[in-house]
Amino acid sequence: MLFRSYSGSVVKQGQAEAIVNGTGTNTFFGRTAKLVAQTETVSHFQKAVLTIGNFLIIIAGILIAIIVLNRLLSREFDVVRLLKFCLVLTVASIPVAMPTVLSVAMSVGAQNLAKKNAVVTRLSSIEELSGMNLLCSDKTGTLTLNKLSLGDPFTMPGISADEIILASALASQKEDSDPIDSTILAALKDPSQLQDYHIQHFTPFDPVSKRTEADISSNSGQTFKTSKGAPQVILDLAPNKSEIEASVNQEIEIYAKRGYRALGVARTDEQGQWQFLGVLSLFDPPRPDSQLTIQDAKKLGVPVKMVTGDQVLIAKETARQLGLGQDIVDAKVFRETPASLLANLDEQILQADGFGQVFPEDKYHIVDVLEHHDYLVGMTGDGVNDAPALKKADVGIAVSGATDAARAAADIVLLTPGLSVIVDAIKLSRQIFERMTSYTLYRITATIQILVFTTLAILFFKSYPLTAIMIVFLALLN
């Protein structure tokens, strides 16, 4: 049997012969690393400091030109003294202390943000966070609790809810600490009934088969198999698939519209034939504070776009419960559209309230489009493949429990789950930015004051009111 594995995968057990058909940037893992390496961003803080410095130097240049012209026309000047004075005036116009003062202000701010469970890994991101005007947020764990609960199951005729839950529990393993398995085992009314059965062989879930399977023997001597997994995969096991497929798919769609995930369950009968038992519904409820937090973010001028790998119907229902819009874009359109036509989707991305069935590489494209339309974008993520999007975003936010790769690429690392931490961080960063703005305005006006006063004194009094050392001291003390 042939399987395809990807670079970065971990083989836990067994033996296999492998043929390498891609290395380096020809692998998914390599492409992710390449995207991270190629992504270079210059912060708005750096741009602002350079712009301010250039502005003051231009002002100084103009005033120095006026001074030199005035001295030349008067024909009474000391060339060496004039050049020395102009040079010192130029040096004094450069805000030498400003980057240091602003960095200290941001360092103090980073310490305050850490107290709010938001660790800053790049100081200039505080300024970016204060100006952020759009946030792309994960659904699972950030907008929702990431705690699955079991809804009412859909069962085939003659099958009770207890039977389908027991069958799915036998196809689960407590030791794996899998969220779905844990939810199913917790739903058993009488957990002790599992002692009547013994698992002879267990096949764990994998992305290829998309299901688990267990060989079971009971204390009464009965043997059978049970399986749970993707509904379509479980349906394929049943010999009467054509007869029940329409009703099962209809029920799955109903679950999706209600925001539930569907899980198919089957077991073998006495003849060893698979019998489809029904569908379990799993729901990850929104956080109690998510809707209020989203409203607070909007009041701060930061609308939220939901980004999830779940089905579009599930995303729409979650968006409805959270008070977001219903314009959820299926991200597969990004993968199906030729690269030359991707620009046509920009308006769709701008107008969307969220994105469903998103792959990590889709996040990078979404961020890129939004930034090209002059948005300061925040992006949350937790996986290795989220790293390019986190680094590309103006504010990359690694959520609680993120991988080391995501944390390394992010500007801010959250220590607690939920969106409220981000909103608190935005409020605090804006306070910090106000302090930085106040100092910057003061520094600009103080520098211009020195330049203008000195220039006017030279023009009107025909003398140098300050020595070179006095000007340097004034610049430093201010």
Side-chain angles (χ1 to χ4, degrees):
M1 185 176 292
L2 296 176
F3 295 98
R4 172 176 288 185
S5 61
Y6 300 96
S7 60
S9 302
V10 177
V11 179
K12 298 178 68 175
Q13 62 180 10
Q15 298 179 353
E17 292 182 358
I19 298 174
V20 177
N21 58 11
T23 59
T25 56
N26 294 320
T27 66
F28 282 105
F29 195 84
R31 283 200 290 271
T32 299
K34 184 179 179 181
L35 276 175
V36 173
Q38 287 180 340
T39 304
E40 295 182 3
T41 57
V42 178
S43 71
H44 290 77
F45 168 72
Q46 292 171 305
K47 293 177 181 177
V49 170
L50 290 174
T51 302
I52 292 169
N54 292 337
F55 169 74
L56 292 176
I57 291 173
I58 290 171
I59 294 293
I62 293 172
L63 295 178
I64 288 171
I66 294 173
I67 292 172
V68 171
L69 184 62
N70 176 265
R71 295 285 84 190
L72 288 173
L73 292 176
S74 67
R75 297 181 181 179
E76 298 178 2
F77 66 94
D78 183 342
V79 176
V80 174
R81 188 182 180 191
L82 177 63
L83 291 177
K84 184 190 298 184
F85 190 84
C86 291
L87 178 62
V88 172
L89 202 62
T90 304
V91 173
S93 69
I94 301 173
V96 180
M98 188 172 70
T100 304
V101 174
L102 295 182
S103 295
V104 170
M106 288 190 290
S107 298
V108 174
Q111 187 177 23
N112 294 331
L113 282 170
K115 295 176 182 177
K116 296 282 187 180
N117 293 314
V119 177
V120 177
T121 61
R122 184 171 63 93
L123 279 181
S124 59
S125 64
I126 294 176
E127 185 264 341
E128 310 280 7
L129 183 62
S130 66
M132 185 174 71
N133 54 15
L134 184 64
L135 175 64
C136 296
S137 173
D138 271 342
K139 179 181 79 71
T140 304
T142 304
L143 298 175
T144 63
L145 290 171
N146 196 21
K147 293 181 179 178
L148 296 173
S149 59
L150 207 60
D152 295 330
F154 164 74
T155 60
M156 301 307 293
I159 305 297
S160 66
D162 291 340
E163 286 180 277
I164 189 173
I165 293 175
L166 175 60
S168 60
L170 291 172
S172 305
Q173 276 193 325
K174 185 177 181 181
E175 296 79 8
D176 291 343
S177 299
D178 180 80
I180 294 178
D181 287 2
S182 300
T183 302
I184 292 171
L185 291 169
L188 283 171
K189 292 182 179 179
D190 182 14
S192 63
Q193 62 185 311
L194 292 177
Q195 298 175 6
D196 297 333
Y197 301 93
H198 304 281
I199 299 177
Q200 303 300 326
H201 178 72
F202 183 82
T203 304
F205 179 89
D206 70 78
V208 178
S209 64
K210 296 184 179 180
R211 67 186 180 96
T212 65
E213 184 179 315
D215 293 346
I216 307 295
S217 63
S218 66
N219 291 340
S220 61
Q222 185 183 12
T223 60
F224 59 91
K225 293 182 179 181
T226 181
S227 181
K228 75 176 192 312
Q232 296 303 327
V233 173
I234 301 299
L235 262 176
D236 289 338
L237 299 175
N240 61 338
K241 173 186 174 181
S242 58
E243 301 171 13
I244 63 175
E245 186 174 19
S247 60
V248 171
N249 286 339
Q250 182 180 3
E251 198 64 31
I252 292 171
E253 187 173 343
I254 292 173
Y255 280 140
K257 288 180 179 179
R258 293 168 56 193
Y260 285 74
R261 299 179 187 176
L263 192 71
V265 183
R267 62 167 286 175
T268 56
D269 56 19
E270 295 176 354
Q271 287 75 39
Q273 284 193 325
W274 286 102
Q275 300 296 320
F276 189 83
L277 302 182
V279 179
L280 293 178
S281 58
L282 297 163
F283 182 58
D284 182 13
R287 290 182 175 277
D289 62 340
S290 286
Q291 186 170 3
L292 185 60
T293 305
I294 290 172
Q295 292 174 0
D296 290 342
K298 287 182 179 178
K299 291 177 183 177
L300 293 172
V302 186
V304 178
K305 291 183 184 289
M306 183 176 65
V307 181
T308 178
D310 286 342
Q311 296 177 12
V312 173
L313 289 175
I314 296 176
K316 283 186 176 181
E317 176 58 21
T318 305
R320 185 191 66 78
Q321 295 181 17
L322 293 172
L324 296 171
Q326 291 292 289
D327 186 5
I328 306 297
V329 174
D330 192 335
K332 70 180 181 182
V333 69
F334 304 141
R335 301 183 291 275
E336 294 175 351
T337 304
S340 58
L341 300 176
L342 278 176
N344 299 333
L345 301 175
D346 286 10
E347 190 63 30
Q348 197 173 357
I349 292 174
L350 295 173
Q351 298 299 325
D353 299 308
F355 306 89
Q357 297 191 149
V358 173
F359 283 9
E361 53 267 31
D362 297 329
K363 287 186 175 184
Y364 187 94
H365 177 68
I366 292 168
V367 171
D368 190 43
V369 169
L370 293 172
E371 286 182 340
H372 273 89
H373 286 80
D374 299 326
Y375 281 99
L376 278 175
V377 184
M379 171 65 79
T380 66
D382 59 359
V384 173
N385 287 340
D386 291 331
L390 292 176
K391 191 170 182 181
K392 175 66 177 173
D394 295 295
V395 186
I397 303 170
V399 299
S400 176
T403 61
D404 290 342
R407 294 186 180 204
D411 304 310
I412 296 174
V413 178
L414 304 184
L415 301 181
T416 55
L419 199 63
S420 58
V421 185
I422 301 176
V423 174
D424 289 341
I426 293 172
K427 293 177 181 177
L428 187 55
S429 66
R430 290 186 176 181
Q431 294 175 9
I432 298 165
F433 184 71
E434 284 295 328
R435 299 187 196 121
M436 293 166 59
T437 303
S438 298
Y439 170 77
T440 303
L441 292 174
Y442 160 74
R443 190 68 191 87
I444 292 172
T445 53
T447 302
I448 292 177
Q449 182 183 22
I450 295 173
L451 296 175
V452 172
F453 168 75
T454 305
T455 303
L456 292 177
I458 293 172
L459 293 177
F460 290 103
F461 296 102
K462 309 299 181 182
S463 65
Y464 299 102
L466 301 171
T467 65
I469 295 177
M470 290 170 65
I471 292 176
V472 172
F473 267 109
L474 272 174
L476 291 175
L477 292 174
N478 278 332

